Every structure is written in structure tokens, then in C-alpha cells.
Amino acid sequence: MLNKNQELQLTITDLSYEGMGVAHTDEGMTLFVDNALPGEVVTAKILKLKKGFGFAKTVSIETKSPDRVEMSSNKWAQTGIAPLAHLTYAKQLEFKTKQVKTLVEKNKLDIDVLETIASPNELGYRNKAQVPVRQVKRQLEVGFFRKRSHDLVVMEDFLIQDPKIDNTIKGVREILRQYGITGYDERNHRGQVKNIIVRRGYFTGEIMVVLVCLDKKFKHLPEIADEIHQLEEVKSVYLNHNPQKTNVIMGKKNRLLAGNSYITDKIGDQTFMISPQSFFQINSSQTPTLYQKAVEMAELNQDDEVLDTYSGIGTIGLSVAKEVKSVTGVEVVKSAVEDAKNNATLNHITNSEFFLGKSEEYMNHWAEEGKQATVVIADPPRKGVTSEFIQSTAKIAPRKVIYISCNPATLMRDIKEFEEYGYTTKTIQPVDMFPMTQHVECVTVLEKN
Ligand code: SAH
């Protein structure tokens, strides 16, 4: 029998899809161990036990893996910001490829999984940060939550965020402290600032700061906004009002406090406006490769009529607009659709349209209407697309479906369903958008048989 808090020696045989070491005990239990790599023998302490499996953390490492990278701080592991940072980058890429291959085999699919394409930047690649703000020992602090908890681990160096963003966060923290602003207290639902969100255009250096606050207004807000606006590179300062007791970071309402209502960044030679609530790919050094791979695999031509579903601010559709006949986008976030329309104008694109709504509903509507499309791009969130989406796509009958996925598990499910409608793929190309984390991005092109 194993008990909580018990320490025991474990031989790590594998890495889970979440990047945890996997060990099997003599009792037939599977333990998932933080900060442990395949081939290592570690002493671990049991944190949680469930039926047949449990969680543990490494206390000491008896036999070290040659693939281990020594970290200068254990905060990144504690918070889960960078769950794979203790593994060499080459092995991280192998891990990601293997994960997709395993899923392909499990689902009995006949698909070639290509090697994961490395990110040009391995650290400091994130162009967006969302950090919690709390009171610690009566002082306003920023950091990140300890894994599986809401305890703040105070931090200044976030490892995978653009270092200029880390600097801005420090600057904002100092200003908030000067004015005696308090960080959020979850237990009593009090305090003023819940989160600081910072976005920085990788190619433009333009910074947007969003203060997520419990109240719409508080004392000294105009002066605070003004001082934040004066920080290096800051072009836009917002207050986001989130009065709810919730884990969702942003509330619905944004108020511009200082500067421009948006920042810009570039993908290739195109410029994109980004407003606070809009999605933008977070690894700017790798985004062009992700899109290029998709376009390459799709072999677009001047006769193509493209539907860009889950279009965000229109980045993919607008990137290919000049090579095709037309681009029609659909996206559920209103400000993102507005950004997409503005981005079309900004980049002199005249053959695109963007609609506000759910992709699955629009696809359904277009299928019934008999809309023509030769290529459908789908870039859904982690939960993938719906059956309704796949059915309507089949009805519209494009020659190709470009599927960009940030969750290989739902990708497999959706590929299987597409197969039922006569769409198949031969290859999946993983692209590393998120070094140091377990996340895998995949591009695949399904063709009509
Ligand atoms: N293609 C864009 C955005 C991808 S992220 C890019 O590469 O930048 C996924 C996008 O889908 C987000 O903008 C999100 O707001 C949007 N979204 C989520 N569910 C949706 C749905 N049901 N219908 C349409 N858009 C949706």
C-alpha cells in the first residue's frame, strides 16, 4: 500500500503527454512525477493518490539523465510555466513528434508524422503575458500560480516571455506600488488589480498593457495610466473590468486609458492591428513557418476560393489572399473580426470578407446556400471542430481542408470523422510554437478522395 507523503525510489520509464515522468510501482500503480525524465532513478514524494495512479514530486535525483538541463531556478517547474525546460531542446522536439505518432497509431490511422520543426527562439519567445497580481506580505506582487493551486510564486523572470515584456511588468508593478494599489485577494474577493496583461509586437516593439481590475475606476487611475504609458515602448494602456469570481482572466469590457486602441505586429511583409480581446499567435518567430507549411501543403492557386474559419484577426487568410481568388473569414470574437477587416484595408487586400459568428453555424448556412469554396482552413481552439462543422464542410466539398491544430487528440478525432466523408491525409507536420512546454501544434491538409 502506498500512502500520501510517502517517499520512495522510482525508475522513470516514460514521459507523459503533460511532460511528467512516468513510473510503475511494484503495487501496480502508475505514478506521474514532476521534474523526472526517462532513464532517471529518483526519490519522490507522493502528493496525491487515485485509483490505479497518482502524482509525486522529485525530492532528489539518484541517476541523472544525460538529457537533463540544469535550471537556475525551480520556480518555472513549480509553476508549470515551462514543464519541459529541464529537457534538452532536441529531446523536446523528439517528445512532441513521438506524441503525435503514438496518437496516430492508437487511432489506427495511416499517416506519416514528420519531424517537429524547431522554433527559432527557444526562450523568451512569447509575445503575450498574463500574470496574476496578489498581495504577499502586504505588498503588491506579480508571479505565477504554483501548479494545481492559486498560491502566488513571486517572479520577475518568466523564462519563455519576451524579456522586454518581463521588464514592462516590473515597471507596471512599481507604478502600482507607488500609488498604494493592492493586488487581488481571491478569498475575500477584494483588492484592485487581478492581472497584468502585456503584449509586445515582436517586429514593431509596440507594447499594450491591460490592467484587469475588479472595479471600473479607482483613485489615481488617470495618473497610473499616464505613468504606464510613459514606460519604454508602451503604446496602449487599457483597463479590463472583471468583477466576477472566476478563473477566466478577462472580463467583457475594455476601457482605453491612454494611447492607441491597438498595437501592430508583422507576419512576413504584412502588418496586423491587434486589439486587447483578439487572438494573435504567441510565438512570432515561428508563425511565418506555421503558415508557410500550411500554404505549401495546400498548393493554392489563383482560382481558389478560401474559407478561413476560426480566423482571429484574419492573419492566415490575409497572408494567402494575393495568391487566391477570394478569402472569406469567420470568427466569434467581435473585436477580432473588426481587426480582420481593418487588417485587410491596411494591407491593401480587396478580395476578402470577414463575418462575426460561430464557424460551425456559418459553414452550415453556407452549405445550405450552396456557397462555392475550393479550400477550407480550420484553425480551431483545443476542443477542435464539431461534427456539424465536418458535415457542412463535406457538403461544400472543397478540394482541400487545411487543418491547423493545437491539440493532437482532437485532431485525430476530427481526421477520423473527415475520413467518413471521403477526406484523407497522408502527412501531419508538427511545428513547435511552444518550446519548454508540452504543447504541440500540427498542420495537416485533408484532400477529397
Ligand atoms: N487563425 C487565427 C486564430 C486562431 S485561434 C490565427 O492563426 O491567428 C482560434 C480562433 O478561433 C480564436 O480567435 C477564437 O476566438 C476563435 N473561435 C473559437 N471558437 C470559435 C467558433 N466556434 N467559431 C468561430 N471562431 C471561434
Side-chain angles (χ1 to χ4, degrees):
M1 260 300 273
L2 297 174
N3 297 305
K4 193 179 165 179
N5 292 328
Q6 181 183 337
E7 286 193 9
L8 73 173
Q9 221 178 55
L10 296 170
T11 302
I12 308 297
T13 54
D14 205 356
L15 213 51
S16 78
Y17 72 95
E18 284 180 312
M20 294 173 91
V22 180
H24 301 282
T25 70
D26 298 338
E27 294 84 357
M29 288 283 278
T30 302
L31 291 176
F32 297 100
V33 193
D34 272 350
N35 188 24
L37 295 174
E40 291 188 330
V41 177
V42 303
T43 301
K45 183 173 171 173
I46 297 181
L47 300 174
K48 204 178 200 174
L49 285 171
K50 301 253 180 180
K51 206 173 174 187
F53 70 100
F55 296 95
K57 70 169 186 188
T58 301
V59 177
S60 61
I61 304 168
E62 286 14 288
T63 312
K64 251 186 203 159
S65 162
D67 305 324
R68 178 173 282 278
V69 175
E70 297 301 334
M71 304 300 294
S72 59
S73 162
N74 63 358
K75 288 186 175 180
W76 303 308
Q78 276 174 356
T79 52
I81 279 184
L84 291 183
H86 58 299
L87 183 63
T88 58
Y89 190 52
K91 291 286 169 184
Q92 289 181 29
L93 296 172
E94 275 180 30
F95 162 78
K96 294 187 185 192
T97 310
K98 190 179 146 203
Q99 218 192 102
V100 183
K101 278 190 177 156
T102 307
L103 281 167
V104 164
E105 283 161 20
K106 252 197 195 154
N107 285 281
K108 301 194 174 60
L109 289 162
D110 181 22
I111 304 174
D112 228 15
V113 178
L114 304 175
E115 296 299 318
T116 304
I117 300 174
S119 167
N121 297 335
E122 295 165 22
L123 297 172
Y125 61 84
R126 280 190 68 103
N127 61 23
K128 180 182 178 184
Q130 320 194 84
V131 297
V133 183
R134 296 290 182 272
Q135 288 297 106
V136 180
K137 294 184 187 136
R138 308 176 90 185
Q139 173 157 266
L140 179 144
E141 297 281 6
V142 299
F144 222 79
F145 296 136
R146 193 181 303 279
K147 256 196 241 175
R148 297 179 284 272
S149 91
H150 274 196
D151 303 335
L152 191 82
V153 176
V154 173
M155 276 163 83
E156 289 189 345
D157 174 359
F158 290 82
L159 192 73
I160 58 172
Q161 291 169 191
D162 183 336
K164 296 252 172 86
I165 288 183
D166 288 359
N167 260 337
T168 306
I169 292 172
K170 268 194 275 182
V172 174
R173 181 192 67 190
E174 291 320 304
I175 295 165
L176 295 176
R177 280 180 183 170
Q178 269 168 32
Y179 284 93
I181 300 302
T182 53
Y184 183 53
D185 170 355
E186 260 174 65
R187 224 166 284 155
N188 302 311
H189 195 52
R190 283 220 293 257
Q192 290 158 299
V193 180
K194 289 174 141 178
N195 287 274
I196 300 170
I197 300 176
V198 180
R199 252 180 173 161
R200 179 175 186 270
Y202 181 74
F203 294 99
T204 60
E206 295 176 14
I207 290 180
M208 173 183 283
V209 175
V210 182
L211 299 176
V212 181
C213 300
L214 202 57
D215 298 315
K216 274 190 206 127
K217 278 186 188 165
F218 45 84
K219 217 174 151 190
H220 301 304
L221 189 57
E223 297 96 296
I224 291 170
D226 199 44
E227 285 201 34
I228 293 175
H229 191 202
Q230 283 170 39
L231 292 172
E232 204 185 333
E233 297 184 321
V234 174
K235 296 282 180 282
S236 169
V237 185
Y238 272 94
L239 180 142
N240 174 270
H241 183 217
N242 188 356
Q244 270 16 323
K245 263 192 188 173
T246 156
N247 283 339
V248 178
I249 295 178
M250 288 181 98
K252 290 208 174 80
K253 292 225 164 90
N254 294 300
R255 182 154 70 92
L256 183 66
L257 299 177
N260 298 337
S261 59
Y262 59 87
I263 56 165
T264 65
D265 200 4
K266 300 192 83 151
I267 300 175
D269 54 11
Q270 289 183 322
T271 303
F272 292 94
M273 286 167 53
I274 314 161
S275 33
Q277 221 92 0
S278 303
F279 176 90
F280 189 65
Q281 298 285 347
I282 58 108
N283 182 349
S284 299
S285 68
Q286 185 73 321
T287 303
T289 306
L290 178 72
Y291 290 180
Q292 263 161 32
K293 275 291 151 196
V295 171
E296 230 174 82
M297 289 164 85
E299 301 169 299
L300 299 171
N301 63 59
Q302 286 294 344
D303 297 324
D304 276 324
E305 292 164 285
V306 178
L307 299 180
D308 181 9
T309 65
Y310 307 87
S311 54
I313 60 171
T315 45
I316 303 181
L318 295 174
S319 307
V320 301
K322 291 201 169 123
E323 294 164 44
V324 300
K325 189 169 162 196
S326 68
V327 170
T328 309
V330 54
E331 157 66 44
V332 80
V333 173
K334 194 169 171 220
S335 68
V337 176
E338 282 160 13
D339 286 348
K341 289 178 181 168
N342 287 327
N343 287 329
T345 312
L346 194 64
N347 294 293
H348 316 290
I349 306 282
T350 50
N351 58 343
S352 71
E353 275 186 300
F354 290 91
F355 294 93
L356 172 65
K358 288 191 174 163
S359 295
E360 54 275 29
E361 288 174 7
Y362 261 91
M363 288 300 278
N364 203 354
H365 166 72
W366 284 330
E368 278 169 14
E369 211 179 43
K371 188 173 173 69
Q372 299 281 327
T374 54
V375 174
V376 168
I377 303 172
D379 184 7
R382 290 187 61 76
K383 65 178 180 210
V385 300
T386 61
S387 297
E388 186 190 7
F389 180 96
I390 296 172
Q391 262 173 38
S392 345
T393 304
K395 227 186 219 174
I396 296 172
R399 66 183 175 86
K400 288 189 179 186
V401 177
I402 307 178
Y403 193 133
I404 301 178
S405 155
C406 54
N407 182 352
T410 55
L411 174 64
M412 300 303 150
R413 180 202 66 201
D414 293 342
I415 287 178
K416 284 199 336 205
E417 201 167 338
F418 267 114
E419 283 192 344
E420 290 169 25
Y421 290 95
Y423 282 85
T424 49
T425 179
K426 295 216 164 52
T427 51
I428 294 180
Q429 174 67 69
V431 179
D432 194 19
M433 297 295 283
F434 315 102
M436 310 297 137
T437 79
Q438 76 279 26
H439 297 292
V440 195
E441 188 90 10
C442 289
V443 186
T444 188
V445 175
L446 294 134
E447 282 186 67
K448 201 163 98 182
N449 297 341

